[in-house]
Amino acid sequence: MDELQCKQEYDQGKSSELMYNLSQGPDDRVRVFNRCFINGFLFWTVSAERSLITQNCGVLVKGDEGTGNMDWYGVIKKIISLQFAGGKEVMMFKCDWFDVPASTKSKSKGYNKEQFGIIDIDTTCFTYSDDPYVLAT
């Protein structure tokens, strides 16, 4: 649906204000942060926490049956805020994703889960460099 169609549907009451605002696209100006607080959790970029004792730059995206129950593990490189009309903000993480096997239930060079549930990932092997973004929710 193009912008004109979305405007017509909004004017006719067939589309919500939120959908109309999102159809306009984000503001051309983007804000980039080195930390953010989302859903009760504080996240840092990997570069911002180098001098810290604690670490909150790690990301785990749980897969579903459509992805073969594959989980993705990574670290946050940038925290990006996109602003839309009506005050809507979308937060995204730009991540470096680690290369783990399609089925994380099996052992591989890049992934190992020990008997107590501790997961060990080779953080020198990367993948998905052409698709680094994930919504921060």
Side-chain angles (χ1 to χ4, degrees):
M1 181 180 308
D2 67 14
E3 185 178 333
L4 181 60
Q5 286 176 310
C6 198
K7 172 72 171 139
Q8 289 171 345
E9 289 203 5
Y10 174 69
D11 290 342
Q12 296 170 3
K14 295 179 182 177
S15 177
S16 70
E17 183 177 1
L18 175 62
M19 287 304 292
Y20 175 69
N21 289 339
L22 291 175
S23 75
Q24 303 304 301
D27 190 316
D28 291 336
R29 296 165 293 178
V30 174
R31 296 187 304 165
V32 178
F33 301 100
N34 62 9
R35 67 177 182 259
C36 68
F37 195 72
I38 298 175
N39 296 331
F41 296 96
L42 178 63
F43 293 93
W44 292 82
T45 60
V46 69
S47 62
E49 73 174 17
R50 288 184 196 216
S51 62
L52 301 178
I53 295 172
T54 59
Q55 294 182 341
N56 280 335
C57 69
V59 176
L60 165 63
V61 177
K62 301 291 282 178
D64 59 16
E65 289 184 30
T67 61
N69 291 325
M70 182 178 172
D71 296 337
W72 289 271
Y73 298 87
V75 291
I76 302 169
K77 299 295 282 186
K78 286 185 181 178
I79 300 170
I80 301 165
S81 171
L82 301 174
Q83 300 290 318
F84 289 83
K88 180 70 177 166
E89 177 183 45
V90 175
M91 298 292 285
M92 296 174 29
F93 293 153
K94 180 179 182 182
C95 300
D96 277 343
W97 298 106
F98 301 120
D99 192 9
V100 296
S103 171
T104 53
K105 293 173 176 53
S106 64
K107 281 189 172 186
S108 80
K109 179 182 173 191
Y111 174 93
N112 183 36
K113 185 173 183 178
E114 68 167 38
Q115 66 183 3
F116 300 109
I118 296 174
I119 297 172
D120 184 31
I121 296 174
D122 182 354
T123 59
T124 62
C125 299
F126 298 99
T127 190
Y128 297 109
S129 59
D130 59 338
D131 194 11
Y133 299 97
V134 64
L135 291 175
T137 57

